[in-house]
Every structure is written in C-alpha cells, then in structure tokens.
Amino acid sequence: MDKFMQAALEEARTGLSEGGVPIGSVIVHDGKIIGRGRNRRVQKGSAILHGEMDALENAGRQPASVYRNCVLYTTLSPCPMCSGAIILYGIPHVIIGENRTFMGEEDVLRSRNVTVEVLQDEQCIGMMEEFIRQKPELWNEDIGV
Amino acid sequence: MDKFMQAALEEARTGLSEGGVPIGSVIVHDGKIIGRGRNRRVQKGSAILHGEMDALENAGRQPASVYRNCVLYTTLSPCPMCSGAIILYGIPHVIIGENRTFMGEEDVLRSRNVTVEVLQDEQCIGMMEEFIRQKPELWNEDIGV
C-alpha cells in the first residue's frame, strides 16, 4: 500500500482504538504530509470532525496556492460535507481507500474537475464492514441517517 | 428583521469585533436556537469553522430526526463546504441574509430539495461589503481564492 494511504489507515485505526469512527485522512503537499486526521465524532463530541475535516483543520490555514497542489487521501469515499470542503479549497486530487461500504460524492467531485481514484483496498473495506456491524447507530449518526 | 436572522447577524458582528470574518449562523429546531456560531478562521486559526460549521458544532451531536426538522439561518450564501454539511445532515430549510457579495451553492441545495430563501438584507450586505473592502486577502483565503 502507498505510504500516504498507509498513514490515513493508521489514523483510522487510532480512531477505532479510541472508540471512534474508523476513518482517517492525510493531506499531502510536495510529497509531504501537511495535515493528518481522523473522525472525532466520539472523541470530541463533534458533528463536523470527519476524517477529512480533521486533516484540513490540522493542516491549518493555508493559502490557495498550497491547496491547489495537494493530494487528499481518505480511507473512505467522502461525504457531501467533506467533498464540499475539497471543492471549496480547490484540492485537485483525491485518493480514496474504498467506496464499497459508503458511496460519497465522487460524481460531484469529478464534475468539479477533481481527479478521483478509488483503491478498493481490502484493509479499508474490512475495517469499515466490521465497524458498521458492531456500531450501526454510531455509523448512521455520522452519515446523517 | 426576523429574530433568528437577527441572532445570526449578532454572531457576525461579534466576529467582526474579534477581528474575524463577519458571518454568523443559527440553527433553529421547534422554534428554538439549538446552535449558534460565527466564522472563527482568525479567532481559532481554523480552516473549517465557517459560521454554519461553527453553529453545527455548537449544536452538538444530534439525531437525524432533529436535523430533518431544523431551519438554518446564515448571514451569507453558504459555500460548498457548508452546503455539503447541510446536505449531509438533511437540513431541509436554509434562510440566507444575502448573496450579493458571495454566491454560494444555492443551486446545489435546491437540487437536493432544500428550501432556500434569500432575504437580500441591507445590513448583511453592508457589513460584508465593508469587510471585503477592508480585508480582501482574509476574505479570499476564506473562500479558497
């Protein structure tokens, strides 16, 4: 596995070990991770800290010129909120661990000229399948169902 | 002015007095404000705390049944990130102070069956016009330009 997706997966696993929703993300600029994060709904009682949002927040305030040269890695297909954040900041390239357990707004991203790659990684799929089986109510809350 | 838009405008003015981006939002459920917030890019060094996001965060973790009966008020047309959050949580009704100084994703919201009302309120317009004139770089950062 690509080292950046590996880092996103490590974030997701840390989240799982904290009792949280196991979704992780890293933002890469010029070959370096400038922000990493994980879903913190449980850990921080947050309605907005999905993995991608947490990674964006941890990257801090960046100029548009940085975002426009970033790649965002996420273990799971990004929801409407996270896809909207990607569009707001003009992040041009998103690499997704899997979209089998949840299909996010990939079509919207592509329609806004974001390059979207989906790895269908078995580790990402297995982790989410197990989580959804164990905590369906928490998962539904996270995706607004 | 409607008391809920007035509350959103008060949030925006508080943000302005803190040196921040003057955009405020409140979320109303059953006639009561359950979350209020303002853009905190400057105050918290945040890339994700737009006014609507801050209001969502301050409302805390809510079940889908609550979001589906909320009205979100915001002084300015919501950007892609905030519109995505509205779609994620299925908030059915958004009331916007103005869209003259910035046109957000109102068409996307309507395409997802969100009722969108725009007041074109002169106080909201004047506040943003003055802010954009005084701090164009901060404003551009906030909208990813």
Side-chain angles (χ1 to χ4, degrees), chain A residues 30-50:
Chain A
D30 268 352
K32 283 182 212 144
I33 294 175
I34 62 167
R36 52 193 299 156
R38 55 188 178 273
N39 187 302
R40 302 205 201 225
R41 174 173 295 277
V42 171
Q43 298 94 316
K44 292 203 164 183
S46 174
I48 65 172
L49 285 175
H50 278 189

Side-chain angles (χ1 to χ4, degrees), chain A residues 3 5 7 23 25 69-70 82 85 91-92 112 120 126 136-137 145:
Chain A
K3 68 179 177 179
M5 187 56 76
I23 305 170
S25 177
N69 286 293
C70 281
C82 297
I91 295 174
R112 300 292 179 105
Q120 300 301 19
E137 286 158 21
V145 175

Side-chain angles (χ1 to χ4, degrees), chain A residues 41 46-47 57 61 68 89 144, chain B residues 41 46-47 57 68 89 144:
Chain A
R41 174 173 295 277
S46 174
E57 189 69 328
R61 291 170 58 182
R68 302 256 154 108
Y89 287 120
Chain B
R41 172 173 297 277
S46 175
E57 189 69 327
R68 302 255 155 109
Y89 287 119

Side-chain angles (χ1 to χ4, degrees), chain A:
Chain A
M1 183 188 278
D2 173 285
K3 68 179 177 179
F4 296 125
M5 187 56 76
Q6 187 65 46
L9 188 54
E10 283 165 15
E11 287 288 328
R13 287 187 172 136
T14 299
L16 190 63
S17 75
E18 294 167 339
V21 181
I23 305 170
S25 177
V26 300
I27 300 172
V28 175
H29 180 257
D30 268 352
K32 283 182 212 144
I33 294 175
I34 62 167
R36 52 193 299 156
R38 55 188 178 273
N39 187 302
R40 302 205 201 225
R41 174 173 295 277
V42 171
Q43 298 94 316
K44 292 203 164 183
S46 174
I48 65 172
L49 285 175
H50 278 189
E52 301 91 323
M53 303 295 288
D54 193 42
L56 271 169
E57 189 69 328
N58 290 333
R61 291 170 58 182
Q62 298 288 342
S65 59
V66 168
Y67 293 120
R68 302 256 154 108
N69 286 293
C70 281
V71 183
L72 183 145
Y73 290 75
T74 177
T75 56
L76 184 66
S77 187
C79 85
M81 172 175 67
C82 297
S83 298
I86 290 162
I87 291 166
L88 169 65
Y89 287 120
I91 295 174
H93 192 175
V94 175
I95 301 180
I96 296 170
E98 61 107 355
N99 63 13
R100 291 257 177 85
T101 65
F102 176 78
M103 175 55 85
E105 298 284 343
E106 296 175 17
D107 288 346
V108 172
L109 289 171
R110 288 193 181 97
S111 77
R112 300 292 179 105
N113 299 315
V114 177
T115 300
V116 177
E117 292 179 66
V118 182
L119 306 182
Q120 300 301 19
D121 176 80
E122 290 299 332
Q123 293 179 78
C124 292
I125 296 169
M127 184 178 57
M128 277 306 291
E129 282 181 343
E130 179 63 16
F131 166 72
I132 293 169
R133 197 155 40 226
Q134 292 200 359
K135 298 187 176 173
E137 286 158 21
L138 176 56
W139 176 232
N140 283 340
E141 182 192 321
D142 203 59
I143 54 174
V145 175

